[in-house]
């Protein structure tokens, strides 16, 4: 849909013009497929609300047929999230898939069924074991079934960037004829280049009957580091929906990062004269929330939301920024949610000052219970530290914000003498009851983890243990990351505390809770020809 094309009516968005770009966020579905990532229902609902407030147009909430937990999460998001289209994934050839998607989406204010099937020769031969004509039949039947449940239907050609052009045109035409209103051509394996993606969308718009009455969508993976570049090229080719995730999370190397796409469109409006509904000052807040929930920190040099994105160490750069920020900053920090203030707080700071600090840091959605819990930990930390920095507050608030539904850290006492085994007494709250155990180990952390395995028996293997400091100084809080592996499933947990061993235990407990969520996940049955 180029600038000279006429507008058309979309079932969810009404009159569409060529300048409008739909933001389709798949953090809760494709993003959660990242190794080590998982979210419980409460965390998904928090993220969905944050995405609505960010201005996302479509939220892909999950794959309902995959498991009871996936169905429940899509259903609850559909029930509570208002202001965005709620989307559920289904396979074109799966009647159960489409029925489950329709049922899960029933409470939604606006809903979309997103069905897909592989179209590349490689996928059809080895994954589906189907002939092209069979795939075409399933595209028709799948989209028709979805259209019987909602007017807003999306169809995706899995591995579309490696699909033969003539066959891709036939597939897209079949999907449109069967009722699809959005056509997605994903670069599923991250193989394409920007030139490839622009050419594919230009071709489809020129060759496929009815192409001027649907939205074309791009969904690019980052295996070659080209996801955002491929997305921008897709827009040049005529795509007016982009599928992306917060922080670029996703399986393998991830998806195109929402914050990078949106700020590229905004900053280079001369090259990309398009608009979105994203409230960019909320970008940092949502990025931090996701990092907290997934226990996966954003890399320091990450564009837009990394802590070094607006940092200047070079003397020449610092001098230029002081004279005129535009010399080395192509966007303002405030435009994406960064604050230039860094008010230091201490043990004499009161609740009102603490609340104001939280708002300045982007935590303006905390209820009184969470605020009181966080303030209590802040006062405790302030008694142990001379100075409490912004990073300290973020770490402790994030710790309070994590969902620990089944297991919670209670207390820990430790005896450690060099050259001798360490002794630990640990109390956990497990499903509302206290469990206290004693254990020994080769050092305090080993003893603490042995105690955890006694208090909550499990066979998960410790795959990663990493400790870092939140701020500088010997009194800095420790931030610990723990990765557990069980039957091929990976989960990451994080914990923060001024006591390094306590931070390690908190991280392990966080990982255990995520593992309990992931145990309930199953893979849907394979499609049969």
């Amino acid at each position: 849909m180029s600038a000279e094309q006429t507008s058309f009516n979309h079932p969810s968005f009404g009159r569409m013009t060529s300048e409008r770009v739909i933001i389709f966020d798949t953090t809760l579905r494709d993003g959660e497929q990242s190794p080590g990532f998982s979210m419980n229902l409460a965390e998904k609902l928090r993220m969905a609300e944050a995405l609505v407030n960010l201005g996302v147009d479509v939220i892909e909430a999950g794959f309902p047929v995959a498991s009871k937990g996936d169905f429940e999460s899509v259903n609850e998001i559909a029930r509570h999230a208002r202001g965005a289209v709620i989307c559920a994934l289904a396979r074109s050839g799966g009647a159960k898939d489409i029925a489950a998607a329709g049922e899960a989406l029933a409470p939604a204010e606006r809903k979309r069924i997103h069905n897909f099937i592989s179209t590349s020769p490689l996928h059809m031969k080895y994954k589906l074991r189907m002939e092209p004509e069979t795939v075409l039949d399933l595209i028709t039947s799948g989209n028709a079934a979805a259209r019987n449940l909602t007017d807003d239907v999306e169809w995706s050609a899995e591995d579309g960037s490696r699909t033969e052009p003539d066959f891709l045109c036939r597939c897209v035409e079949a999907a449109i004829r069967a009722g699809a209103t959005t056509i997605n051509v994903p670069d599923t394996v991250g193989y394409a280049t920007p030139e490839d993606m622009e050419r594919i969308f230009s071709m489809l718009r020129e060759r496929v009957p009815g192409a001027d009455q649907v939205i074309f969508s791009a969904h690019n993976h980052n295996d070659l580091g080209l996801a955002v570049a491929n997305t921008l090229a897709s827009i040049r080719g005529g795509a007016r929906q982009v599928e992306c995730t917060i922080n670029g999370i996703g399986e393998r190397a991830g998806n195109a990062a929402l914050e990078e796409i949106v700020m590229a469109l905004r900053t280079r409006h001369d090259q990309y004269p398009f608009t979105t509904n994203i409230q960019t000052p909320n970008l940092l807040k949502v990025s931090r929330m996701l990092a907290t929930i997934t226990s996966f920190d954003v890399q320091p040099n990450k564009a837009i939301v990394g802590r070094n994105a607006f940092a200047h160490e070079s003397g020449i750069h610092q001098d230029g920024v002081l004279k005129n920020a535009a010399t080395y900053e192509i966007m303002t920090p405030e435009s994406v949610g960064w604050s230039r203030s860094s008010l230091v707080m201490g043990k004499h700071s009161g609740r009102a000052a603490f609340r104001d600090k939280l708002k300045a840091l982007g935590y303006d959605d905390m209820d009184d219970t969470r605020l009181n819990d966080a303030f209590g930990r802040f006062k405790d930390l302030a008694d142990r530290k001379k100075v409490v920095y912004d990073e300290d507050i973020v770490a402790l608030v994030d710790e309070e914000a994590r969902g620990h539904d089944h297991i919670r850290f209670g207390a820990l006492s430790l005896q450690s003498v060099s050259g001798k085994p360490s002794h630990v007494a640990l109390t956990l709250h497990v499903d509302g009851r206290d469990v206290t155990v004693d254990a020994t180990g080769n050092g305090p952390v080993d003893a603490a983890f042995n105690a955890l395995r006694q208090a909550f028996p499990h066979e998960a293997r410790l795959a990663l243990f990493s400790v870092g400091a939140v701020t500088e100084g010997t009194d800095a809080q420790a931030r610990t990351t723990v990765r557990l592996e069980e039957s091929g499933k990976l989960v990451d947990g994080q914990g923060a505390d001024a006591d390094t061993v306590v931070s390690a235990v908190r991280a392990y407990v966080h990982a255990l809770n995520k593992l309990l969520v992931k145990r309930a996940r199953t893979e849907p049955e394979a499609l049969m020809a």
Side-chain angles (χ1 to χ4, degrees):
M1 188 167 62
S2 62
E4 67 271 9
Q5 285 181 302
T6 58
S7 59
F8 70 97
N9 280 317
H10 185 272
S12 288
F13 302 112
R15 183 66 64 180
M16 287 292 302
T17 62
S18 58
E19 293 79 22
R20 174 86 157 87
V21 173
I22 301 296
I23 301 297
F24 176 113
D25 182 275
T26 185
T27 301
L28 297 175
R29 202 278 302 169
D30 201 342
E32 206 202 7
Q33 294 176 203
S34 304
F37 289 17
S38 64
M39 305 182 206
N40 61 31
L41 178 56
E43 290 167 339
K44 286 188 174 184
L45 287 171
R46 282 182 61 214
M47 275 304 303
E49 182 181 359
L51 292 171
V52 168
N53 292 334
L54 181 61
V56 163
D57 298 294
V58 184
I59 298 174
E60 188 167 45
F63 193 1
V65 81
S67 69
K68 181 180 178 181
D70 279 70
F71 181 96
E72 181 185 9
S73 64
V74 174
N75 188 248
E76 287 299 306
I77 291 169
R79 190 180 313 279
H80 295 288
R82 293 291 184 263
V85 174
I86 307 303
C87 176
L89 188 68
R91 292 167 298 183
S92 299
K96 291 181 180 179
D97 293 40
I98 293 171
E103 185 180 352
L105 289 171
E109 182 180 58
R110 293 184 294 162
K111 58 189 176 184
R112 172 182 296 185
I113 294 176
H114 176 195
N115 71 109
F116 72 96
I117 193 167
S118 296
T119 55
S120 70
L122 189 65
H123 277 220
M124 288 190 293
K125 181 177 180 179
Y126 293 104
K127 177 185 174 182
L128 297 180
R129 297 181 180 179
M130 294 179 183
E131 294 298 320
E133 294 304 319
T134 303
V135 170
L136 282 167
D137 289 342
L138 292 177
I139 292 171
T140 297
S141 61
N143 282 281
R147 189 59 186 263
N148 285 333
L149 299 174
T150 177
D151 289 337
D152 190 343
V153 174
E154 176 172 342
W155 177 74
S156 286
E158 186 178 10
D159 205 21
S161 61
R162 295 194 297 177
T163 298
E164 295 174 340
D166 289 346
F167 186 64
L168 182 61
C169 287
R170 292 180 65 196
C171 291
V172 170
E173 182 177 0
I176 294 173
R177 287 183 181 276
T181 53
T182 298
I183 300 295
N184 181 43
V185 184
D187 182 27
T188 305
V189 295
Y191 180 74
T193 65
E195 293 78 13
D196 293 332
M197 297 312 300
E198 183 173 359
R199 182 174 59 250
I200 288 170
F201 284 105
S202 296
M203 174 199 70
L204 292 173
R205 288 172 44 240
E206 292 171 1
R207 292 180 55 183
V208 176
D212 59 340
Q213 295 300 306
V214 297
I215 294 175
F216 280 96
S217 176
H219 179 123
N220 294 297
H221 281 262
N222 206 39
D223 298 71
L224 293 176
L226 294 172
V228 172
N230 283 344
T231 299
L232 295 174
S234 299
I235 294 173
R236 282 189 182 277
R240 289 299 179 268
Q241 175 179 283
V242 294
E243 305 193 3
C244 45
T245 60
I246 302 296
N247 297 341
I249 69 168
E251 57 187 327
R252 304 188 314 278
N255 289 269
L258 181 151
E259 61 277 2
E260 295 178 23
I261 296 167
V262 169
M263 292 311 294
L265 294 177
R266 173 173 168 163
T267 304
R268 294 307 308 273
H269 198 67
D270 57 323
Q271 293 292 317
Y272 306 101
F274 308 107
T275 61
T276 74
N277 283 337
I278 297 299
Q279 304 300 306
T280 62
N282 289 347
L283 286 171
L284 180 62
K285 171 186 172 181
V286 181
S287 167
R288 283 176 167 171
M289 178 184 291
L290 181 66
T292 297
I293 289 172
T294 60
S295 302
F296 196 84
D297 289 335
V298 174
Q299 68 210 54
N301 63 329
K302 168 77 170 64
I304 315 301
V305 293
R307 69 171 182 265
N308 289 349
F310 296 93
H312 305 279
E313 185 169 326
S314 163
I316 295 175
H317 288 201
Q318 289 174 343
D319 179 65
V321 168
L322 289 172
K323 292 175 179 175
N324 186 326
T327 54
Y328 287 101
E329 290 182 353
I330 60 173
M331 66 196 92
T332 66
E334 293 82 2
S335 69
V336 297
W338 288 97
S339 172
R340 294 188 184 273
S341 67
S342 184
L343 177 64
V344 175
M345 300 186 70
K347 63 182 180 179
H348 299 298
S349 301
R351 190 183 306 272
F354 184 69
R355 185 188 289 274
D356 287 342
K357 171 59 74 174
L358 292 181
K359 288 182 179 178
L361 293 173
Y363 297 94
D364 53 3
D365 61 343
M366 294 184 68
D367 57 33
D368 289 340
T369 300
R370 288 177 57 206
L371 176 68
N372 291 336
D373 290 343
F375 184 68
R377 286 200 66 197
F378 161 72
K379 296 295 281 187
D380 178 62
L381 180 64
D383 284 337
R384 290 185 284 166
K385 286 196 66 175
K386 295 178 181 179
V387 176
V388 179
Y389 296 97
D390 287 358
E391 293 85 354
D392 290 312
I393 294 174
V394 168
L396 69 87
V397 172
D398 286 350
E399 177 68 28
E400 289 297 330
R402 293 192 174 104
H404 300 300
D405 294 334
H406 299 284
I407 313 166
R408 293 179 65 89
F409 170 73
L412 180 142
S413 63
L414 169 69
Q415 290 181 332
S416 186
V417 179
S418 61
K420 295 183 179 180
S422 295
H423 295 259
V424 160
L426 173 69
T427 299
L428 296 181
H429 307 304
V430 181
D431 290 327
R433 62 187 179 88
D434 288 351
V435 178
T436 300
V437 297
D438 296 295
T440 61
N442 183 24
V445 173
D446 185 50
F449 286 3
N450 287 339
L452 276 163
R453 283 186 282 271
Q454 288 183 37
F456 189 83
H458 58 280
E459 299 298 324
R461 179 180 67 88
L462 182 64
L464 173 69
F465 174 68
S466 174
V467 181
V470 174
T471 56
E472 298 177 354
T474 57
D475 63 351
Q477 286 191 95
R479 190 195 328 253
T480 304
T481 301
V482 163
R483 172 170 288 184
L484 299 179
E485 185 273 331
E486 180 185 76
S487 302
K489 294 182 171 68
L490 295 173
V491 290
D492 288 354
Q494 277 195 341
D497 197 273
D499 185 314
T500 302
V501 181
V502 172
S503 77
V505 172
R506 289 183 181 276
Y508 202 115
V509 168
H510 187 216
L512 276 177
N513 279 289
K514 287 188 170 292
L515 185 61
L516 295 180
V517 173
K518 210 154 195 177
R519 280 177 178 175
R521 296 263 165 81
T522 58
E523 291 293 330
E525 297 178 1
L527 288 177
M528 301 300 291

